[in-house]
Amino acid sequence: MNTLNRVLVVLMILLAIPLCSVVLITPVELARLLQAGLGNLAESLSQIRPEIRYGVGILLALVVDALLLLWLVLEVRPPRRIIRVPGVSGATVAVAVDSIRERLRYHLDQLADVIEVRPRVIPHRDGLQVELDVLTAPEVDVPRKAEEILQIARVVVEEKMGLRLRGQPVVRIRHAPYPRGERRPPAPA
């Protein structure tokens, strides 16, 4: 739904730019053009028999209203906050998204050189999308630490919790600033 919202906002802005420009630059000419066009439209619509005109209008209004109501329901419904655990026989098991997030935070905080972890867990029908914002010590070996973080995240989500990952987890690493007053190590040559 987020992608649809972004696309609609971009399209509305792209439409509003030339429309506002035309309205603000040539308001009188635009009003005359609209008056002539609406007069022609009214003349054309009056040629259609009223029962056909009203029937088609009601059908179109019902279709548009149904689509708008569906869109409204999809916008205001609360996001899924629990995930069903597949592969459990004899019962339905669900895990809260907050529990997954806390478990990832706990296990990843245990790693050396990791100062802070902010996991983001996004449930999908075909698995979990996991994004990890990690604050590390300034001198950490980024590729090695990223591999270690990915390994722990996979173990926690897939093996310990029995859930499926959707694609690869995303790891965004930030370094903590160097302590003040200490000399920074020379850059490797």
Side-chain angles (χ1 to χ4, degrees), residues 38-177:
L38 289 175
N40 291 338
L41 179 63
E43 183 68 31
S44 298
L45 289 175
S46 67
Q47 303 295 322
I48 300 173
R49 292 192 337 227
E51 58 273 4
I52 293 175
R53 188 174 63 229
Y54 288 124
V56 169
I58 290 170
L59 284 175
L60 287 174
L62 287 173
V63 168
V64 169
D65 289 348
L67 289 173
L68 289 173
L69 282 173
L70 176 64
W71 189 10
L72 180 65
V73 167
L74 291 175
E75 282 295 325
V76 298
R77 74 172 185 195
R80 290 181 54 193
R81 293 287 170 207
I82 59 167
I83 308 296
R84 289 204 174 127
V85 179
V88 177
S89 59
T92 301
V93 178
V95 177
V97 171
D98 291 338
S99 297
I100 301 165
R101 192 178 305 121
E102 286 303 315
R103 195 171 220 187
L104 281 167
R105 182 178 293 127
Y106 174 78
H107 285 284
L108 293 171
D109 271 341
Q110 305 299 316
L111 296 175
D113 295 326
V114 171
I115 298 169
E116 181 184 8
V117 179
R118 289 193 193 139
R120 184 167 178 231
V121 177
I122 305 161
H124 295 280
R125 292 185 194 274
D126 57 341
L128 293 175
Q129 179 181 341
V130 174
E131 298 177 4
L132 303 165
D133 290 320
V134 182
L135 180 65
T136 64
E139 288 300 315
V140 73
D141 181 1
V142 173
R144 196 169 298 149
K145 187 53 66 179
E147 280 297 320
E148 190 177 1
I149 291 168
L150 286 171
Q151 175 67 25
I152 297 294
R154 279 192 198 98
V155 167
V156 168
V157 172
E158 293 180 339
E159 294 176 19
K160 292 188 177 186
M161 299 194 82
L163 301 168
R164 282 182 296 182
L165 284 172
R166 179 182 188 220
Q168 294 290 325
V170 175
V171 178
R172 289 183 283 272
I173 294 180
R174 287 181 310 133
H175 295 300

